[in-house]
Amino acid sequence: MARGRPALSCWLAALAGGIAGWSTPAHAQGAPPAAPEAWVRYAEGATAAIARWLDADDPAAVRLHAYLDQHGSVDGSRATPLVVKIWLHADGTVARIDFTPFALAQANEDLRAVIVGRRLPGRPPKGMAQPIRLEIVPEPVEASDPAGPSEAPR
């Protein structure tokens, strides 16, 4: 990750799109059964790989970070998570993604460039529900970060 640039935190929104609702505690009345362990493990691995792609120093990832830095929350709290739905080919290559578009077309292109067409480690488990849903949240730059926002004048 580039120095002074906040990490993009990725985590599973509800494990996977087809698994959404599957993550509800099994003890809840009317809750569907838990997602198969193989699906959960694969989704966790996919999340880790995509987080690395988003934190890479390639031009599209750097531009995406800059856009998210500029359009994050005003008060320094966490920005609104971006939900990204990811569909995979049988070999684990990202076939397509869906997300609420950004106002800037270049940011939309950059997010696609960072993710679409890249291969995740391993093949998705047979019968795994798709899309995989991720929440991407830009972490605010820490005030102590030398490349972060400067302190207000005294």
Side-chain angles (χ1 to χ4, degrees), residues 38-127:
W39 293 10
V40 173
R41 279 193 315 271
Y42 188 82
E44 289 171 346
T47 299
I50 292 168
R52 286 189 304 273
W53 300 345
L54 290 166
D55 283 337
D57 285 329
D58 69 77
V62 170
R63 281 191 307 267
L64 182 60
H65 271 274
Y67 177 81
L68 293 174
D69 289 349
Q70 290 176 349
H71 296 88
S73 67
V74 175
D75 64 1
S77 65
R78 283 187 171 237
T80 302
L82 168 66
V83 176
V84 180
K85 297 176 188 175
I86 300 170
W87 284 265
L88 306 170
H89 291 295
D91 68 354
T93 301
V94 178
R96 68 182 174 103
I97 63 173
D98 185 44
F99 58 95
T100 301
F102 300 115
L104 182 66
Q106 182 66 55
N108 298 321
E109 293 171 24
D110 289 340
L111 182 58
R112 285 186 181 89
V114 169
I115 299 174
V116 176
R118 302 211 36 198
R119 189 165 182 211
L120 294 168
R123 296 175 176 270
K126 187 173 183 155

